[in-house]
PDB file of all heavy atoms in Angstrom:
ATOM      1  N   TYR A  32      16.601  25.395   6.827  1.00  0.00           N
ATOM      2  CA  TYR A  32      16.409  25.884   5.459  1.00  0.00           C
ATOM      3  C   TYR A  32      16.651  24.776   4.442  1.00  0.00           C
ATOM      4  O   TYR A  32      17.589  23.988   4.578  1.00  0.00           O
ATOM      5  CB  TYR A  32      17.351  27.053   5.170  1.00  0.00           C
ATOM      6  CG  TYR A  32      17.040  28.282   5.985  1.00  0.00           C
ATOM      7  CD1 TYR A  32      17.768  28.571   7.136  1.00  0.00           C
ATOM      8  CD2 TYR A  32      16.016  29.136   5.626  1.00  0.00           C
ATOM      9  CE1 TYR A  32      17.481  29.689   7.902  1.00  0.00           C
ATOM     10  CE2 TYR A  32      15.712  30.266   6.379  1.00  0.00           C
ATOM     11  CZ  TYR A  32      16.449  30.532   7.521  1.00  0.00           C
ATOM     12  OH  TYR A  32      16.157  31.638   8.277  1.00  0.00           O
ATOM     13  N   VAL A  33      15.814  24.745   3.397  1.00  0.00           N
ATOM     14  CA  VAL A  33      15.963  23.740   2.339  1.00  0.00           C
ATOM     15  C   VAL A  33      16.681  24.318   1.121  1.00  0.00           C
ATOM     16  O   VAL A  33      17.082  23.577   0.230  1.00  0.00           O
ATOM     17  CB  VAL A  33      14.603  23.127   1.942  1.00  0.00           C
ATOM     18  CG1 VAL A  33      13.989  22.418   3.132  1.00  0.00           C
ATOM     19  CG2 VAL A  33      13.644  24.180   1.397  1.00  0.00           C
ATOM     20  N   THR A  34      16.821  25.635   1.066  1.00  0.00           N
ATOM     21  CA  THR A  34      17.684  26.308   0.086  1.00  0.00           C
ATOM     22  C   THR A  34      18.407  27.432   0.810  1.00  0.00           C
ATOM     23  O   THR A  34      17.996  27.863   1.898  1.00  0.00           O
ATOM     24  CB  THR A  34      16.914  26.941  -1.095  1.00  0.00           C
ATOM     25  OG1 THR A  34      16.269  28.147  -0.643  1.00  0.00           O
ATOM     26  CG2 THR A  34      15.900  25.984  -1.696  1.00  0.00           C
ATOM     27  N   GLY A  35      19.464  27.927   0.169  1.00  0.00           N
ATOM     28  CA  GLY A  35      20.096  29.132   0.649  1.00  0.00           C
ATOM     29  C   GLY A  35      19.337  30.354   0.177  1.00  0.00           C
ATOM     30  O   GLY A  35      18.320  30.252  -0.518  1.00  0.00           O
ATOM     31  N   PRO A  36      19.805  31.565   0.520  1.00  0.00           N
ATOM     32  CA  PRO A  36      19.156  32.789   0.044  1.00  0.00           C
ATOM     33  C   PRO A  36      19.205  32.891  -1.484  1.00  0.00           C
ATOM     34  O   PRO A  36      20.040  32.286  -2.135  1.00  0.00           O
ATOM     35  CB  PRO A  36      20.011  33.904   0.690  1.00  0.00           C
ATOM     36  CG  PRO A  36      20.727  33.248   1.823  1.00  0.00           C
ATOM     37  CD  PRO A  36      20.946  31.821   1.403  1.00  0.00           C
ATOM     38  N   ASN A  37      18.282  33.668  -2.029  1.00  0.00           N
ATOM     39  CA  ASN A  37      18.240  34.004  -3.460  1.00  0.00           C
ATOM     40  C   ASN A  37      17.995  32.788  -4.350  1.00  0.00           C
ATOM     41  O   ASN A  37      18.504  32.716  -5.477  1.00  0.00           O
ATOM     42  CB  ASN A  37      19.527  34.725  -3.897  1.00  0.00           C
ATOM     43  CG  ASN A  37      19.782  35.971  -3.094  1.00  0.00           C
ATOM     44  OD1 ASN A  37      18.895  36.808  -2.942  1.00  0.00           O
ATOM     45  ND2 ASN A  37      20.986  36.106  -2.553  1.00  0.00           N
ATOM     46  N   ALA A  38      17.216  31.833  -3.873  1.00  0.00           N
ATOM     47  CA  ALA A  38      16.878  30.669  -4.698  1.00  0.00           C
ATOM     48  C   ALA A  38      15.936  31.072  -5.821  1.00  0.00           C
ATOM     49  O   ALA A  38      15.073  31.934  -5.657  1.00  0.00           O
ATOM     50  CB  ALA A  38      16.238  29.591  -3.839  1.00  0.00           C
ATOM     51  N   GLY A  39      16.111  30.446  -6.977  1.00  0.00           N
ATOM     52  CA  GLY A  39      15.245  30.714  -8.113  1.00  0.00           C
ATOM     53  C   GLY A  39      15.816  30.085  -9.357  1.00  0.00           C
ATOM     54  O   GLY A  39      16.788  29.320  -9.308  1.00  0.00           O
ATOM     55  N   ILE A  40      15.226  30.383 -10.483  1.00  0.00           N
ATOM     56  CA  ILE A  40      15.684  29.824 -11.757  1.00  0.00           C
ATOM     57  C   ILE A  40      17.147  30.209 -11.967  1.00  0.00           C
ATOM     58  O   ILE A  40      17.534  31.366 -11.796  1.00  0.00           O
ATOM     59  CB  ILE A  40      14.803  30.337 -12.907  1.00  0.00           C
ATOM     60  CG1 ILE A  40      13.383  29.774 -12.755  1.00  0.00           C
ATOM     61  CG2 ILE A  40      15.389  29.944 -14.260  1.00  0.00           C
ATOM     62  CD1 ILE A  40      12.385  30.332 -13.740  1.00  0.00           C
ATOM     63  N   GLY A  41      17.959  29.221 -12.295  1.00  0.00           N
ATOM     64  CA  GLY A  41      19.384  29.437 -12.472  1.00  0.00           C
ATOM     65  C   GLY A  41      20.179  29.362 -11.181  1.00  0.00           C
ATOM     66  O   GLY A  41      21.405  29.335 -11.204  1.00  0.00           O
ATOM     67  N   ASN A  42      19.480  29.322 -10.062  1.00  0.00           N
ATOM     68  CA  ASN A  42      20.130  29.231  -8.751  1.00  0.00           C
ATOM     69  C   ASN A  42      19.199  28.448  -7.829  1.00  0.00           C
ATOM     70  O   ASN A  42      18.791  28.918  -6.767  1.00  0.00           O
ATOM     71  CB  ASN A  42      20.408  30.634  -8.192  1.00  0.00           C
ATOM     72  CG  ASN A  42      21.317  30.627  -6.986  1.00  0.00           C
ATOM     73  OD1 ASN A  42      22.154  29.749  -6.823  1.00  0.00           O
ATOM     74  ND2 ASN A  42      21.156  31.629  -6.123  1.00  0.00           N
ATOM     75  N   GLY A  43      18.848  27.241  -8.285  1.00  0.00           N
ATOM     76  CA  GLY A  43      17.780  26.469  -7.663  1.00  0.00           C
ATOM     77  C   GLY A  43      17.940  26.210  -6.183  1.00  0.00           C
ATOM     78  O   GLY A  43      16.955  26.212  -5.441  1.00  0.00           O
ATOM     79  N   LEU A  44      19.156  25.983  -5.718  1.00  0.00           N
ATOM     80  CA  LEU A  44      19.386  25.717  -4.300  1.00  0.00           C
ATOM     81  C   LEU A  44      19.779  26.965  -3.535  1.00  0.00           C
ATOM     82  O   LEU A  44      20.051  26.897  -2.335  1.00  0.00           O
ATOM     83  CB  LEU A  44      20.455  24.629  -4.137  1.00  0.00           C
ATOM     84  CG  LEU A  44      20.021  23.246  -4.638  1.00  0.00           C
ATOM     85  CD1 LEU A  44      21.180  22.265  -4.554  1.00  0.00           C
ATOM     86  CD2 LEU A  44      18.821  22.741  -3.856  1.00  0.00           C
TER      87      LEU A  44
END
Side-chain angles (χ1 to χ4, degrees):
Y32 294 99
V33 298
T34 75
N37 303 310
I40 293 173
N42 192 28
L44 293 175

